[in-house]
Structures are given as structure tokens and as C-alpha cells.
Amino acid sequence: MLTMELKRLKKIQDELRWPLKTDELSIWSWDKFQKEAENRALVLISGFIHDTSSFLANHPGGKRLLESYVGKDATDAFFGGVYRHSNAAQNLLAMMRVGVIEENKETQEVFPPSERFLAFSMNVYVDLLIRKSIADWVL
């Protein structure tokens, strides 16, 4: 009985589709992203382009919410601006990756949740160092 269950689970495991690695994704320009988003539900999150077309009807926040970010950078919304998504949601999103946006002025630098405090702390620290240096120089 246990052997049969293990075989069943192995079959499910073998059918799992894992996300592409970053270096396997094609690099898209902002213009290409915008043009392709006219035909399918593409959303940019943390520099990755995701095709959410097959997920629109299943999105817990509703189809309209997800559609409102098609062709846009939804990084802030995904990481807490609208709702702070779980690790499971982040893993599901990774399965929808279709490309990486090339860096340009249209995209923004955003830190993932695990790095936000560190980035904030570093900014505060650097700010304090600059202020102290200026104060020492002026005095």
C-alpha cells in the first residue's frame, strides 16, 4: 500500500513544471513588454515579466484587480502596496515568468521583502554618516 502511494506521489512530482532560471529567460525592452501586454495579461514584478493570462479567473483579489496592472510594473502592489503576498503566491508567480525587462527609466528599483529592512537600515545609516561628516566639517 505504501509503495503504491509512493509511486503515485512520484508521478505527480515528475509532472511538476518548474520555473525557468533567470538566465534562460529572454530580455525584453519596455516597448516590447507594452506591445505584448495588449494581447495577453503581462505584468512586471521585480524586473520579471509574468504572463498571468491563465490565472486571471483564479486570482483571489479578483480578475479586475489583476487586470488593472496589465502592462504595468506591479512590484509595489505585489510586495505590500495592495496586499503582501505569501511565499506560496510568490512561488506561483515564478511559474508564470516569460521574460526579464531590460533596465531603463520605466522600471523602478524595488527590494524584495527579505531585503527591505536591510535596505532601509543602510539608507538611514548612510544618511547619518553624511550628516555627521557635514557637521564635523562645518564645526
Short mmCIF file of all heavy atoms in Angstrom, two decimals, residues 2 5 8 13 22 94 97 136 138:
data_model
loop_
_atom_site.label_atom_id
_atom_site.label_comp_id
_atom_site.label_asym_id
_atom_site.label_seq_id
_atom_site.Cartn_x
_atom_site.Cartn_y
_atom_site.Cartn_z
N LEU A 2 1.91 1.27 0.83
CA LEU A 2 2.82 2.41 0.90
C LEU A 2 3.57 2.58 -0.42
O LEU A 2 3.74 3.70 -0.90
CB LEU A 2 3.80 2.24 2.06
CG LEU A 2 4.79 3.37 2.26
CD1 LEU A 2 4.07 4.67 2.56
CD2 LEU A 2 5.75 3.04 3.39
N GLU A 5 1.40 4.29 -2.94
CA GLU A 5 1.26 5.72 -2.65
C GLU A 5 2.53 6.47 -3.06
O GLU A 5 2.46 7.56 -3.62
CB GLU A 5 0.97 5.94 -1.15
CG GLU A 5 0.76 7.38 -0.77
CD GLU A 5 -0.46 8.02 -1.40
OE1 GLU A 5 -1.34 7.30 -1.92
OE2 GLU A 5 -0.55 9.26 -1.36
N ARG A 8 2.48 6.89 -6.77
CA ARG A 8 1.53 7.92 -7.16
C ARG A 8 2.13 9.32 -6.94
O ARG A 8 2.06 10.19 -7.80
CB ARG A 8 0.24 7.78 -6.36
CG ARG A 8 -0.86 8.75 -6.77
CD ARG A 8 -2.09 8.66 -5.88
NE ARG A 8 -1.87 9.21 -4.56
CZ ARG A 8 -1.83 10.53 -4.28
NH1 ARG A 8 -2.03 11.40 -5.23
NH2 ARG A 8 -1.63 10.95 -3.04
N GLN A 13 5.12 14.28 -8.81
CA GLN A 13 6.38 15.04 -8.75
C GLN A 13 7.00 15.18 -10.13
O GLN A 13 7.48 16.25 -10.50
CB GLN A 13 7.35 14.35 -7.81
CG GLN A 13 8.69 15.07 -7.68
CD GLN A 13 9.65 14.32 -6.80
OE1 GLN A 13 9.46 13.14 -6.48
NE2 GLN A 13 10.71 14.98 -6.38
N THR A 22 16.60 32.36 -14.36
CA THR A 22 16.72 33.73 -14.85
C THR A 22 17.52 33.81 -16.15
O THR A 22 17.13 34.51 -17.08
CB THR A 22 17.38 34.62 -13.78
OG1 THR A 22 16.59 34.53 -12.59
CG2 THR A 22 17.46 36.05 -14.21
N ALA A 94 6.27 32.86 -9.84
CA ALA A 94 7.51 32.48 -10.52
C ALA A 94 7.24 31.51 -11.66
O ALA A 94 7.96 31.50 -12.66
CB ALA A 94 8.49 31.87 -9.52
N ARG A 97 6.68 33.27 -15.19
CA ARG A 97 7.72 34.12 -15.80
C ARG A 97 7.89 33.80 -17.29
O ARG A 97 8.00 32.65 -17.68
CB ARG A 97 9.05 33.91 -15.12
CG ARG A 97 9.13 34.46 -13.74
CD ARG A 97 10.48 34.19 -13.15
NE ARG A 97 10.53 34.70 -11.78
CZ ARG A 97 11.46 34.37 -10.91
NH1 ARG A 97 12.42 33.54 -11.25
NH2 ARG A 97 11.43 34.86 -9.69
N ASP A 136 30.76 67.66 11.27
CA ASP A 136 32.19 67.73 11.64
C ASP A 136 32.93 68.74 10.78
O ASP A 136 33.79 69.48 11.25
CB ASP A 136 32.85 66.35 11.50
CG ASP A 136 32.39 65.37 12.57
OD1 ASP A 136 31.78 65.80 13.56
OD2 ASP A 136 32.62 64.16 12.36
N VAL A 138 31.61 71.40 9.18
CA VAL A 138 31.15 72.75 9.46
C VAL A 138 31.72 73.25 10.76
O VAL A 138 32.09 74.42 10.90
CB VAL A 138 29.60 72.82 9.48
CG1 VAL A 138 29.10 74.16 9.96
CG2 VAL A 138 29.05 72.51 8.11
#
